[in-house]
Amino acid sequence: MKKLIAIVICLALTPFGAFAAEGETLETLKVKAVASSVDLLAMEQGMETLMENLEAVQDKEEDIVAAYEAYQTYERLHRAGAGLIPDPNPLLDPLDPLNPTPEQIAMKQAYLKLQAMFFNLFGIQTPSLNDEEIYDNFIYPVDVLPNKLMDQYASLRIDKDRVTSMLEGGVEALWWNMGSLDTQKRLIEEYVSLLQVQLGAEAARFQVGKISELQLEAKRLDLDIAMRDQVRLDRESENLDYRMRSLAGLEFNEPFSVKLLPVTETNGGLKTYEAFLTESLRTRADAIRALRQVFTIRQEIGVMEDIIEDDDHPRRKAIRMDLLRAEEAYEATVRSVDAQLYAAYDATLTKQEALLNARSSYDISVLDLNRVKALHSVGYVADVDLIGAEMGQKQSLLALESSIYQYNLAYQTLIRTVRYGSGTGGMTQ
């Protein structure tokens, strides 16, 4: 029995995946859950679209850079007065001082070519683009837009990884809990059998007047409650089976079962709250996305300041407000992560304490049963007392298994909160 309890306790502290199923393994169920996700398919398509857009932007990069260099040349020629150079006078000698030199003629021709080019592009006769127009047409598409598209791609990839992990974690959680409930069902079946034996013995004692009708009715009530628990566990198992089939895309007429196997590994206990908080801020998609948004805007501000030098320009003011809002959003995300994690961590500690208490109660019930067995073997206690001690031990074992189950639900919720946030898939308490 101690070996059984050691296994059961290990289950409470074990990474999921300690069960086997007919025709399926934990890994194949994970694969099916990921493959059947419509959300993941949409994300993959969104990533493909973003990559296509990024490649299109990058394909235009050389042309935009060349156009900006040409515009800067256009500005230099305009400042040098290339547009004011007169055309050569055919009536005069080419070397006449009144005629432009060959260098001036080349400058004028280059100027006119650029003038026609930028008139076609922007409808301007002179290099008259303001700082904002220069930024939008030449700087933003090369130095800012690709980074934003890459950031969107990275954000979507984070979401894809998050959903994949959530699906796999949901399968693991359901897999473990199906096995745990199966153990509870087996234990309560044994407990009901003991209750039925005890009820028969108590009925015999009632017939000879050793107990009252009220005491007999109390035993019947105990049996009724235990049988109701059997029905509850059956329904909960059916619900888990349904959820597993739905999550993994299994047919509802497809054979499927979970079998408990020995477990030796443990998670080593709970980490500190601060360790969980640090991990959460580094791994949760909402925290990563909020922080990346701050970095992206800061990067754009650095690029914009080199082109739009006026600190009071509306674009400069607008992007500073964007940065302020992004920083506030990140701080709000940190507060939200902290609040969600604290609630999940506190709930897990509460369930852990209940588990330790249940373990202590079970240990006492085992000692008590051993004592009664010893007394029964030498005739100091009756059979009914032995049955009562066995029932007490079985009841404590059921309470222990239930505490293990509740602890694991809380622990699973904690881990999901660390990685994805509260209210995300898997099991609920």
Side-chain angles (χ1 to χ4, degrees):
M1 185 61 68
K2 286 187 177 292
K3 183 178 180 182
L4 170 62
I5 294 305
I7 291 175
V8 172
I9 286 294
C10 282
L11 280 171
L13 305 173
T14 300
F16 311 118
F19 306 95
E22 290 181 0
E24 296 289 350
T25 66
L26 178 57
E27 294 307 316
T28 61
L29 288 172
K30 287 182 182 180
V31 170
K32 287 187 175 183
V34 170
S36 62
S37 172
V38 177
D39 291 337
L40 279 180
L41 178 61
M43 290 177 182
E44 289 172 355
Q45 292 173 342
M47 291 172 66
E48 290 178 3
T49 299
L50 282 171
M51 186 54 65
E52 291 171 358
N53 292 341
L54 178 59
E55 290 174 352
V57 169
Q58 290 173 335
D59 289 341
K60 296 177 181 178
E61 183 175 328
E62 289 186 9
D63 292 339
I64 295 173
V65 170
Y68 186 38
E69 291 174 351
Y71 183 79
Q72 291 173 313
T73 301
Y74 187 27
E75 286 183 314
R76 288 196 300 271
L77 291 174
H78 184 75
R79 288 194 297 268
L84 302 177
I85 297 174
D87 293 329
N89 187 339
L91 300 178
L92 297 177
D93 186 280
L95 299 178
D96 191 296
L98 296 177
N99 261 338
T101 65
E103 291 78 8
Q104 290 175 320
I105 293 173
M107 283 179 60
K108 178 70 176 287
Q109 289 174 343
Y111 181 83
L112 294 175
K113 184 178 180 180
L114 292 172
Q115 186 180 53
M117 172 183 170
F118 287 102
F119 180 79
N120 290 332
L121 289 174
F122 304 114
I124 54 176
Q125 294 282 1
T126 59
S128 55
L129 296 178
N130 59 36
D131 291 344
E132 187 175 358
E133 290 170 331
I134 290 174
Y135 177 80
D136 288 339
N137 288 288
F138 302 124
I139 306 303
Y140 181 85
V142 174
D143 295 332
V144 178
L145 182 56
N147 291 331
K148 284 193 170 184
L149 290 174
M150 290 175 64
D151 186 66
Q152 292 174 23
Y153 181 88
S155 180
L156 199 53
R157 184 177 61 188
I158 290 172
D159 284 339
K160 178 177 177 289
D161 292 342
R162 175 181 62 88
V163 171
T164 299
S165 297
M166 286 174 60
L167 289 169
E168 293 178 346
V171 168
E172 288 183 344
L174 288 169
W175 179 274
W176 190 94
N177 288 303
M178 289 174 74
S180 181
L181 281 183
D182 185 66
T183 300
Q184 290 186 62
K185 287 167 63 179
R186 176 176 52 78
L187 291 175
I188 203 168
E189 183 178 348
E190 296 172 3
Y191 180 60
V192 167
S193 297
L194 285 173
L195 279 173
Q196 290 170 336
V197 171
Q198 187 186 49
L199 181 61
E202 294 296 292
R205 296 180 70 197
F206 171 73
Q207 292 295 330
V208 297
K210 289 188 175 181
I211 64 170
S212 67
E213 185 177 356
L214 185 61
Q215 289 173 309
L216 180 62
E217 188 59 32
K219 296 301 179 183
R220 288 197 181 104
L221 182 60
D222 288 341
L223 178 60
D224 183 63
I225 292 173
M227 294 178 72
R228 289 176 183 272
D229 282 340
Q230 275 187 306
V231 174
R232 175 183 59 80
L233 289 175
D234 286 339
R235 290 177 177 173
E236 194 166 349
S237 292
E238 292 173 359
N239 177 51
L240 293 183
D241 182 270
Y242 176 84
R243 293 171 65 181
M244 178 66 88
R245 290 176 185 273
S246 299
L247 185 60
L250 296 174
E251 295 291 337
F252 286 90
N253 59 355
E254 194 174 337
F256 179 77
S257 65
V258 174
K259 180 181 178 183
L260 185 63
L261 297 176
V263 179
T264 57
E265 297 180 8
T266 68
N267 65 16
L270 286 178
K271 293 186 290 188
T272 65
Y273 177 78
E274 290 73 17
F276 275 126
L277 180 60
T278 300
E279 179 184 351
S280 189
L281 292 174
R282 290 176 177 175
T283 57
R284 274 181 53 164
D286 51 353
I288 294 173
R289 185 181 295 107
L291 188 58
R292 287 181 66 91
Q293 182 68 9
V294 172
F295 289 155
T296 299
I297 294 175
R298 286 177 179 171
Q299 183 182 44
E300 184 175 358
I301 287 176
V303 174
M304 186 181 291
E305 286 175 346
D306 292 337
I307 303 301
I308 304 176
E309 297 179 355
D310 183 4
D311 192 57
D312 293 326
H313 191 282
R315 290 287 289 275
R316 292 278 298 275
K317 290 182 178 179
I319 200 167
R320 284 199 297 271
M321 287 301 299
D322 288 344
L323 177 60
L324 179 61
R325 284 191 288 267
E327 290 173 339
E328 290 174 347
Y330 177 69
E331 292 171 359
T333 300
V334 172
R335 290 194 297 271
S336 176
V337 169
D338 190 15
Q340 294 174 10
L341 187 59
Y342 182 83
Y345 191 79
D346 184 63
T348 305
L349 289 178
T350 299
K351 298 299 183 182
Q352 186 183 53
E353 183 178 0
L355 173 58
L356 294 174
N357 291 336
R359 172 62 188 274
S360 178
S361 296
Y362 175 76
D363 290 342
I364 293 173
S365 73
V366 171
L367 292 174
D368 186 58
L369 177 59
N370 291 337
R371 180 183 61 81
V372 173
K373 281 182 177 180
L375 292 174
H376 180 267
S377 66
V378 294
Y380 282 126
V381 297
D383 290 346
V384 67
D385 296 316
L386 177 60
I387 293 174
E390 289 175 340
M391 287 185 57
Q393 182 268 342
K394 189 66 68 176
Q395 196 170 27
S396 296
L397 180 56
L398 273 169
L400 175 59
E401 176 62 22
S402 178
S403 294
I404 290 171
Y405 180 58
Q406 293 300 322
Y407 171 76
N408 271 280
L409 291 181
Y411 184 75
Q412 291 162 18
T413 299
L414 172 62
I415 295 305
R416 288 197 306 276
T417 302
V418 169
R419 296 174 181 172
Y420 320 118
S422 61
T424 50
M427 293 291 299
T428 58
Q429 297 185 70

